[in-house]
Amino acid sequence: MLTHKTKVDGQDVEIHVVQTEDDLDMFSEFIASNIGQLSVDSETTGLDIYSSRFKIRLVQFGHATEAWVVPVELGGAFEDIVIWALLTVKKLILQNAAYDLQVFDQTLGVKQEELWPKVTDTKILAHLIDPRPLRDGGVGHSLVDLTRFHIDAEIADNVKGLMKKLAHDEGSTVANIWKKVALDNEDYTLYAGMDVILTSRLLRKLKPLVPADSKKLVRYEHEVAEVCSYMVRTGFLLDVPYSEQLSQDLKYEEQAAAKIAFDFGCESVNSPIEVHKVLDAYGVKVTAETPTGKPKIDDDLLRKLAAEGSEFAQAVVDAKKAGKWRKTWVDTFIKTADSERRCHASINPLAARTARMSITGIPAQTLPAGDSKIRKCFLAEPGHSIVSVDYQAQELRVLAHLSGDRNMIKAFADGEDLHLITARAAFGEHVQKGDKERDIGKVVNFARVYGGGAAVVAKQTGIDLVTAKKVVDGFDKAFPEVKVYSSELQKEGLRKGFITTPTGRRVPVDPAKSYAALNYIVQSTARDVTAAALLRLHEAKVTPFLRLPIHDEVLLSVPTERADAAAAKVAEIMTVKMGKVTLEAEGKVGGNSWGSLYEEEKE
DNA sequence: CAGGTTAGCACC
DNA sequence: AAACGGTGCTAACCTG
């Protein structure tokens, strides 16, 4: 057995590294004498839990002054004892539990279901204390960032530097070192052991910092994380032959368009500098600028030029689009699919400042919605249909409730068309459903939720600034209490530096952007409506059918013969009353692919 | 040259 | 008086 002795925050700490089976007796004594609570972490070959090459290497247990590192990669007794320890310790502390619990599930066969009820996740606590990432003025949520702020900056840098140094020593990179490094490497085991010691210390520091209002969110967020983690484990079935064909078709499209652009003298369509060079040579003046003052070459400009007959601009648009669709979507799906053709998107249930979720790996929140091509890559299970259940005008209904605006509440209660109301307040009572004035009303309704004004509306709709102002005023006239509520909220944000949502969540408000307070509370409350719905669906045993949450929507795969009934049932479970406003969910039943819900957009 | 930043584009 | 909120990913570009 190897023992590292070092100091954290001025205190002596010991990290014991199990090397032979003889060391396991002492390890199990450590577990037995700390059976109430320990922090846990694992080291693995990478982050691709569901790939066939993925392996677990080390598992670490520890408290504030002592850690044990077990080389589970060796299997046998090392693996057995770790499984026993995971199941035996009564409370487990982890930093980003969803990751390690999926690792244990996949590699050791310890089901997540066994462990979630006894987990405390320091990352969840950190987010409830301050949801901002480093770049937005927060302290970050990674173990290193949290250690730097709450424990000791030097230790944080040392730990971070350890793997960097190791990668350098071995002639590798930080991303690749994890699978290569020797299991008993001293830097590696020191790093591994330090992680659990720091996690234990973090829990102590973070617990008292969770605001009193947010305390009730602690359990709730662990449960949301749990349900999301099950969805990730299930994965989404990929139509591999279709995806491969689509990838080829897109590649062909991209190359054909890029060839045309090349013949105009543009070597790379993705380089704004290159594209500008060609446009400039043809006498096109670009007036719009990027934030750093360079000519702005975007889709808006290129489409305008294409519409005026520019073959070059059209080619650039086509090549860029085909390239993005292939590289960002289709090829990523094919690459990440496991041996059973399933894609496991990774869901971060608590991501944004507002607590909105984010989905990475397969960026499922951002697949093109105007064309079914990309979403057709994903399939319901054999014999199943895709079902989507989404909240109707979720954020506007949340706004109606929060602001208490009588007109808005009444409009929703009577089933009236909110976009029409805004349009009529601006343009007069003659506006009808199909009119373009109603579309402008819709843009204004959303812009108001986002904190946008007349300039934004003008740009988005193409109408002039004066008319845009008129419609924005129309909104304020139609729903006067929204403005009152917004300014009260701004004041609160400026006074306290944060606002508190109805669930008790603190959302920091930047003094230079106090107008964003309204959007924050609406977005965050809407997120909690969907998150709470996930918990009710889990309670109702729907989880095995869930595929993904997408903001105001939940996506499922359900047996085809029961699809209509299931969609109705899920909608019923999701629908909820908020004061005088009903947050109504509506189910849609599709065919075998996700894309089937996006075909032949009518109207 | 790895890793960070910028620009652009996909969504709610 | 006005104020566009939140995300992820890629290629190109920049920097230590």
Side-chain angles (χ1 to χ4, degrees):
Chain A
M1 190 171 68
L2 172 82
T3 298
H4 300 284
K5 294 189 184 202
T6 178
K7 278 187 193 290
V8 175
D9 218 4
Q11 244 184 331
D12 290 327
V13 303
E14 287 193 353
I15 295 166
H16 305 290
V17 182
V18 169
Q19 288 173 309
T20 70
E21 290 195 19
D22 294 341
D23 300 335
L24 291 177
D25 283 346
M26 286 179 72
F27 169 70
S28 53
E29 273 174 38
F30 173 73
I31 296 294
S33 49
N34 292 281
I35 207 140
Q37 170 172 302
L38 280 174
S39 54
V40 189
D41 186 31
S42 64
E43 302 304 328
T44 60
T45 50
L47 298 173
D48 49 345
I49 300 176
Y50 296 93
S51 107
S52 54
R53 292 178 304 275
F54 181 84
K55 277 197 296 194
I56 187 168
R57 306 204 68 197
L58 303 174
V59 174
Q60 311 93 268
F61 290 82
H63 53 57
T65 54
E66 186 177 353
W68 282 74
V69 179
V70 185
V72 279
E73 191 182 14
L74 300 176
F78 300 100
E79 199 175 297
D80 294 344
I81 205 162
V82 162
I83 293 170
W84 164 79
L86 286 171
L87 295 172
T88 306
V89 175
K90 294 200 176 75
K91 282 187 179 169
L92 299 174
I93 309 155
L94 295 99
Q95 162 72 8
N96 193 15
Y99 176 77
D100 296 282
L101 261 50
Q102 285 183 78
V103 170
F104 299 145
D105 193 320
Q106 290 303 299
T107 63
L108 304 177
V110 178
K111 288 287 143 206
Q112 291 184 58
E113 282 83 346
E114 302 282 330
L115 302 184
W116 271 112
K118 56 184 188 177
V119 161
T120 301
D121 189 337
T122 44
K123 195 176 172 195
I124 289 175
L125 299 186
H127 196 283
L128 292 174
I129 295 162
D130 186 341
R132 295 170 299 174
L134 264 174
R135 62 173 185 282
D136 288 341
V139 302
H141 306 118
S142 74
L143 187 62
V144 166
D145 289 340
L146 292 169
T147 297
R148 181 172 294 120
F149 187 79
H150 293 285
I151 300 177
D152 187 331
E154 203 183 326
I155 291 281
D157 291 334
N158 287 348
V159 167
K160 199 175 178 175
L162 216 49
M163 290 311 283
K164 221 171 172 170
K165 166 183 172 283
L166 191 57
H168 188 259
D169 289 351
E170 308 251 332
S172 183
T173 63
V174 177
N176 289 322
I177 192 66
W178 308 98
K179 48 172 95 66
K180 285 192 191 164
V181 60
L183 216 47
D184 60 354
N185 178 292
E186 289 200 14
D187 288 335
Y188 182 48
T189 52
L190 173 64
Y191 168 92
M194 200 57 100
D195 269 5
V196 279
I197 289 174
L198 294 174
T199 303
S200 278
R201 286 169 178 263
L202 265 181
L203 181 67
R204 283 193 197 167
K205 300 272 185 182
L206 295 179
K207 246 185 173 169
L209 297 178
V210 177
D213 283 349
S214 308
K215 289 250 191 301
K216 59 193 173 216
L217 289 173
V218 173
R219 273 303 303 157
Y220 159 85
E221 289 301 346
H222 280 81
E223 287 166 11
V224 174
E226 177 179 358
V227 177
C228 288
S229 188
Y230 295 149
M231 279 188 255
V232 173
R233 180 179 62 188
T234 305
F236 209 159
L237 190 59
L238 185 69
D239 188 336
V240 174
Y242 171 83
S243 303
E244 283 174 347
Q245 183 61 52
L246 180 57
S247 173
Q248 268 185 38
D249 293 350
L250 289 170
K251 190 168 193 172
Y252 179 79
E253 266 179 56
E254 181 189 355
Q255 284 172 347
K259 165 92 173 54
I260 296 171
F262 184 85
D263 291 341
F264 276 90
C266 176
E267 293 202 25
S268 171
V269 294
N270 287 314
S271 165
I273 297 168
E274 281 274 312
V275 175
H276 179 247
K277 194 180 74 190
V278 176
L279 292 177
D280 198 49
Y282 281 82
V284 177
K285 291 273 172 286
V286 180
T287 48
E289 286 183 357
T290 68
T292 53
K294 286 174 215 146
K296 192 170 173 66
I297 310 291
D298 62 4
D299 207 46
D300 274 356
L301 171 75
L302 292 169
R303 277 182 192 283
K304 199 177 120 247
L305 295 171
E308 289 165 4
S310 166
E311 196 192 345
F312 171 68
Q314 187 65 55
V316 173
V317 168
D318 293 346
K320 280 172 79 168
K321 184 174 167 180
K324 179 173 172 74
W325 284 31
R326 180 172 66 85
K327 283 173 282 208
T328 306
W329 320 126
V330 186
D331 284 359
T332 315
F333 305 160
I334 296 169
K335 246 185 276 164
T336 55
D338 69 11
S339 58
E340 322 261 57
R341 299 177 295 143
R342 310 189 75 86
C343 290
H344 304 265
S346 131
I347 303 172
N348 178 355
L350 202 47
R353 173 192 296 239
T354 57
R356 254 199 183 186
M357 301 183 185
S358 82
I359 303 184
T360 54
I362 50 172
Q365 290 168 324
T366 59
L367 306 194
D371 188 320
S372 63
K373 261 194 203 118
I374 301 292
R375 289 176 201 241
K376 271 189 178 165
C377 292
F378 290 102
L379 298 175
E381 307 304 313
H384 281 211
S385 296
I386 293 287
V387 164
S388 157
V389 185
D390 68 339
Y391 284 102
Q392 303 298 297
Q394 190 191 38
E395 292 200 336
L396 282 169
R397 282 180 197 244
V398 166
L399 175 62
H401 166 72
L402 292 173
S403 67
D405 184 273
R406 269 160 280 185
N407 294 346
M408 203 181 272
I409 290 171
K410 185 170 180 335
F412 279 124
D414 297 347
E416 285 178 54
D417 182 336
L418 216 69
H419 307 323
L420 205 54
I421 293 175
T422 299
R424 281 178 177 162
F427 297 109
E429 293 302 312
H430 59 83
V431 180
Q432 296 302 314
K433 263 220 147 90
D435 296 351
K436 68 173 192 301
E437 283 86 350
R438 185 208 173 251
D439 294 339
I440 296 170
K442 183 176 176 176
V443 171
V444 172
N445 285 343
F446 282 114
R448 286 321 254 170
V449 176
Y450 291 156
V456 170
V457 173
K459 193 174 185 314
Q460 241 178 55
T461 56
I463 61 177
D464 62 90
L465 199 61
V466 176
T467 314
K469 220 167 154 20
K470 200 170 99 180
V471 197
V472 170
D473 289 344
F475 178 95
D476 295 341
K477 217 163 42 186
F479 312 113
E481 284 153 284
V482 171
K483 207 173 179 174
V484 176
Y485 176 64
S486 176
S487 63
E488 278 169 11
L489 210 58
Q490 281 191 54
K491 270 187 246 158
E492 188 187 334
L494 284 169
R495 196 173 67 242
K496 298 195 209 157
F498 61 87
I499 47 132
T500 305
T501 74
T503 57
R505 190 185 307 283
R506 283 188 180 185
V507 185
V509 175
D510 184 343
K513 271 168 89 171
S514 68
Y515 63 86
L518 180 74
N519 177 258
Y520 289 164
I521 203 162
V522 169
Q523 190 181 104
S524 190
T525 304
R527 179 274 186 189
D528 278 328
V529 167
T530 306
L534 287 178
L535 299 192
R536 295 195 298 277
L537 291 171
H538 183 62
E539 189 67 33
K541 309 255 182 278
V542 179
T543 308
F545 304 98
L546 292 176
R547 288 299 172 268
L548 290 169
I550 302 176
H551 302 308
D552 61 345
E553 174 191 6
V554 167
L555 203 65
L556 308 95
S557 167
V558 300
T560 301
E561 73 271 14
R562 288 191 277 141
D564 289 313
K569 185 69 195 169
V570 169
E572 186 195 319
I573 294 170
M574 287 172 68
T575 297
V576 70
K577 268 196 90 106
M578 224 182 197
K580 294 175 188 147
V581 179
T582 304
L583 290 158
E584 238 165 291
E586 195 181 279
K588 278 195 235 45
V589 178
N592 185 232
S593 86
W594 188 3
S596 64
L597 290 167
Y598 290 77
E599 274 168 340
E600 50 185 299
E601 284 291 312
K602 57 256 160 225
E603 285 168 305

